[in-house]
Amino acid sequence: MDGKNKKLTPNQARPPKATPCKEDKRKKSRVQPTPVKERPKVQQQESEEDFPVSEESVCVSQELASWIKLNAQSLKIRKEDLSWAAGVVKDFRENLLKFLRSCTDQPFFQSAEFINTGSYFEKVKINSPDEFDMMLKLEVPSMIKMTQLDRGLFYRLDLVRPTRTPIQAFLLENKLTISSSKVLNEMYRLVRKFLKTYKVPDVRCRWEVNRKRPNSPAVTLSLCISENNSEELISVDVVPALMSKSCKSWPNPARNGPDVENWLGKKGWQEIRSLPCFFVPKRLKGQNLSEDAKESWRISFSLIEKKIITCHGNSKTCCESNGSKCCRKQCLMLLKSLIEGLKQRFPKELDDLCSYHGKTTFLHMLSTRFSDSCWACQHLPTCFLHLLEAFEGHARTGLLPHFFVPQCNLFSSTSFSRRKLTFLVKALEEQKREGLPLLKPPAPVSPLRPLSPPAEVSTRQSIKQPAADSLHPGFTNKLLLVFGASGLVVLICVTLLMKVTGSDHKG
């Protein structure tokens, strides 16, 4: 699909163009990305002045505000739509874990546990329930030494002393260095072995292991319909992640991480610091890598990010049943939707762009704009435009510090080329100028779960399937296309038949 020529479909509501307005220079607020090395607490104390909550401060028209609110409401996935996909994935996860714990040929994986991370468990998943992340925790019984390979994201992991525990199968020749490639290859082997005997609860579907992607730490699987080589219905990433109980403190580059005491409080920050970080088998980018770089591990803060996004408020009761509501998560979901729309429209030019860039911008803004009153639900359009302006500011300056390892720039030239960053800035400027038309991205032909009842009902079928009229609109696109095309063919055949019959009568 050529993203450059993709246009909005006529039946999609055309967003209003952003109307220019005169701004008071004293009120004008331009969000600047936080410098890598300087993160003073004074910035947080002045945050409420830098981010006024009035609608006029960002010149949002009533039409644009309505457009933002409308799309925010449509992004959240309904529970009925999630039930089928979540049920299939849960059954896969539980049975894979049983298989690993009973697998005698690889004892290192017998103590594995799944960690609930990712957008699904953070409750910021958008559009359709078609992607899930699974982090498989593998505990290292011995003490490990972390050798930094870059500014703080990639490490070589070594045991402090030789061991005879099951992890010895994944050590290099020196009997100390843990091989990321060996762990990932074994994960692939075990998943393929598991699928030989595993049956999907819905007998119409099957799981397939995708080809290994360069620099990816995950074993990616696709759920497809068994009868034909259809598009995937669901994609799942299984990521092996090492954790050492003996290594209780974060690596040095992360110890001077985010300053969030004014936002989450001193106790909240201590709770976050007590959570473990993980290491996933991902190698550094680039050519002519050293042997250490080929066996590198990347640090992951997924569990900590979930904790922060779940408990996001300045007050402990924010968004709880008996507390006030805020629009923080809605702003993140809107930014994720815009990024997804940009990637669909410009797949080649923005192939380096991902939702984590938006998530990092969001986390930075949470730490500086920490007051719950700044994120009141009625200020959703203003808050989102502040977040969008911050994201554009990071892209314009080419500076997006990792939230936990500020020495690492996610927009560095090695991670995101200058040419593509310039293209991203122009694309964001165009979106703001045109009224954010890609906030609701032109939906491609979306994966669709099997709707017709199966010819054979599995004895393990226990998943409640939502009614067709309750499905997310994206899920019904493919069905409409199929029946629309079939109806056209039937109409043509009936017309030709009537002509032939009429000719016969005349004769």
Side-chain angles (χ1 to χ4, degrees):
M1 177 176 63
D2 189 359
K4 292 183 179 180
N5 299 323
K6 191 169 184 63
K7 297 181 179 180
L8 289 174
T9 55
N11 59 345
Q12 288 181 306
R14 180 66 181 174
K17 292 188 177 183
T19 55
C21 63
K22 296 181 180 179
E23 289 186 345
D24 187 343
K25 292 183 180 179
R26 292 172 296 177
K27 291 185 178 180
K28 186 174 182 180
S29 171
R30 191 161 190 84
V31 182
Q32 296 295 338
T34 308
V36 176
K37 296 183 179 179
E38 299 181 4
R39 301 165 59 84
K41 292 186 179 180
V42 179
Q43 183 183 8
Q44 292 190 355
Q45 297 171 358
E46 299 176 351
S47 62
E48 293 190 32
E49 297 179 5
D50 295 337
F51 298 95
V53 297
S54 64
E55 295 270 336
E56 291 77 17
S57 63
V58 290
C59 298
V60 55
S61 66
Q62 187 63 39
E63 292 81 7
L64 183 57
S66 299
W67 173 250
I68 292 173
K69 292 177 181 178
L70 177 66
N71 285 286
Q73 294 173 358
S74 65
L75 285 177
K76 191 172 182 179
I77 305 171
R78 295 173 59 182
K79 293 182 180 179
E80 294 84 354
D81 300 344
L82 269 174
S83 60
W84 184 82
V88 170
V89 173
K90 181 181 178 181
D91 187 84
F92 169 82
R93 181 179 61 186
E94 291 177 350
N95 282 277
L96 175 59
L97 193 59
K98 290 179 182 178
F99 169 80
L100 294 175
R101 289 179 174 176
S102 62
C103 190
T104 56
D105 62 341
Q106 191 43 260
F108 180 57
F109 283 78
Q110 287 182 335
S111 60
E113 293 181 9
F114 275 113
I115 304 296
N116 296 331
T117 59
S119 59
Y120 171 72
F121 294 101
E122 293 168 352
K123 297 183 179 180
V124 290
K125 190 82 179 71
I126 62 172
N127 294 332
S128 61
D130 56 354
E131 292 181 357
F132 293 82
D133 298 321
M134 298 182 186
M135 184 173 283
L136 186 69
K137 184 182 76 171
L138 301 171
E139 191 172 316
V140 181
S142 307
M143 291 189 64
I144 59 173
K145 176 184 176 183
M146 298 171 287
T147 302
Q148 188 175 328
L149 299 179
D150 67 340
R151 289 183 173 271
L153 288 181
F154 290 88
Y155 295 84
R156 188 187 77 227
L157 301 182
D158 298 296
L159 301 180
V160 175
R161 61 182 64 88
T163 182
R164 293 184 179 180
T165 58
I167 198 176
Q168 65 180 337
F170 303 99
L171 302 178
L172 297 181
E173 293 181 359
N174 60 12
K175 305 299 181 181
L176 294 175
T177 303
I178 306 175
S179 169
S180 59
S181 60
K182 285 185 177 182
V183 172
L184 185 57
N185 289 338
E186 184 64 13
M187 187 80 255
Y188 267 97
R189 186 188 74 83
L190 291 172
V191 170
R192 289 193 177 101
K193 183 178 179 181
F194 163 71
L195 291 181
K196 290 180 180 179
T197 56
Y198 174 71
K199 300 296 181 184
V200 181
D202 192 325
V203 295
R204 295 164 290 182
C205 302
R206 71 182 187 280
W207 285 105
E208 292 183 354
V209 179
N210 294 357
R211 286 185 177 181
K212 187 184 294 186
R213 293 173 295 175
N215 298 317
S216 172
V219 177
T220 303
L221 300 97
S222 297
L223 182 73
C224 305
I225 301 176
S226 302
E227 296 177 355
N228 50 48
N229 296 323
S230 62
E231 297 180 47
E232 68 178 20
L233 306 177
I234 300 173
S235 174
V236 169
D237 281 349
V238 181
V239 183
L242 294 188
M243 188 201 78
S244 174
K245 278 189 176 180
S246 61
C247 186
K248 295 182 180 180
S249 59
W250 294 1
N252 289 330
R255 291 179 187 175
N256 297 324
D259 185 6
V260 296
E261 287 190 11
N262 285 338
W263 164 31
L264 300 176
K266 188 174 182 179
K267 184 178 179 181
W269 176 231
Q270 289 175 349
E271 290 178 0
I272 291 173
R273 287 294 301 269
S274 66
L275 295 173
C277 53
F278 298 88
F279 294 91
V280 298
K282 183 179 178 68
R283 66 162 57 181
L284 279 161
K285 286 185 177 181
Q287 300 177 349
N288 301 321
L289 296 175
S290 64
E291 293 303 316
D292 287 344
K294 291 178 181 178
E295 297 292 349
S296 63
W297 297 80
R298 175 165 173 153
I299 193 170
S300 171
F301 297 92
S302 297
L303 186 63
I304 301 161
E305 290 166 1
K306 188 187 79 168
K307 173 72 174 178
I308 289 178
I309 292 178
T310 303
C311 306
H312 52 258
N314 187 225
S315 63
K316 294 182 179 180
T317 59
C318 182
C319 289
E320 292 185 357
S321 56
N322 59 342
S324 58
K325 307 297 181 183
C326 76
C327 64
R328 288 177 174 94
K329 286 188 178 182
Q330 285 181 300
C331 288
L332 175 58
M333 293 166 72
L334 285 166
L335 184 57
K336 288 177 62 176
S337 180
L338 181 60
I339 290 174
E340 184 177 307
L342 289 169
K343 286 182 67 67
Q344 287 179 10
R345 186 171 182 182
F346 308 108
K348 294 181 180 179
E349 295 85 352
L350 297 178
D351 59 337
D352 290 333
L353 181 65
C354 66
S355 62
Y356 196 74
H357 293 114
K359 187 177 185 179
T360 302
T361 303
F362 175 69
L363 291 173
H364 280 302
M365 179 158 281
L366 290 186
S367 65
T368 56
R369 197 167 182 247
F370 53 84
S371 176
D372 291 343
S373 61
C374 295
W375 298 92
C377 290
Q378 63 266 30
H379 301 310
L380 172 62
T382 303
C383 292
F384 170 67
L385 291 177
H386 276 309
L387 179 60
L388 179 59
E389 189 176 358
F391 182 62
E392 182 185 346
H394 285 299
R396 191 180 301 278
T397 59
L399 183 61
L400 179 58
H402 190 282
F403 188 67
F404 297 97
V405 187
Q407 292 86 354
C408 289
N409 179 17
L410 301 183
F411 277 160
S412 66
S413 57
T414 56
S415 304
F416 211 116
S417 70
R418 300 298 96 183
R419 177 177 57 83
K420 293 181 179 180
L421 265 183
T422 301
F423 187 92
L424 173 60
V425 171
K426 291 182 179 178
L428 291 172
E429 288 175 345
E430 180 187 33
Q431 284 298 300
K432 292 197 301 183
R433 187 169 57 250
E434 296 297 325
L436 304 175
L438 289 183
L439 199 58
K440 187 181 183 73
V445 178
S446 301
L448 177 70
R449 69 171 181 83
L451 287 176
S452 58
E456 176 186 356
V457 179
S458 170
T459 57
R460 296 173 56 220
Q461 179 89 21
S462 60
I463 298 174
K464 181 181 178 182
Q465 297 184 5
D469 58 355
S470 70
L471 292 176
H472 189 279
F475 272 98
T476 59
N477 285 351
K478 183 180 292 184
L479 188 65
L480 293 175
L481 288 174
V482 171
F483 281 100
S486 302
L488 181 60
V489 173
V490 172
L491 180 61
I492 294 174
C493 293
V494 170
T495 305
L496 292 175
L497 182 61
M498 291 178 63
K499 288 185 177 181
V500 172
T501 305
S503 301
D504 293 343
H505 284 307
K506 290 180 180 179

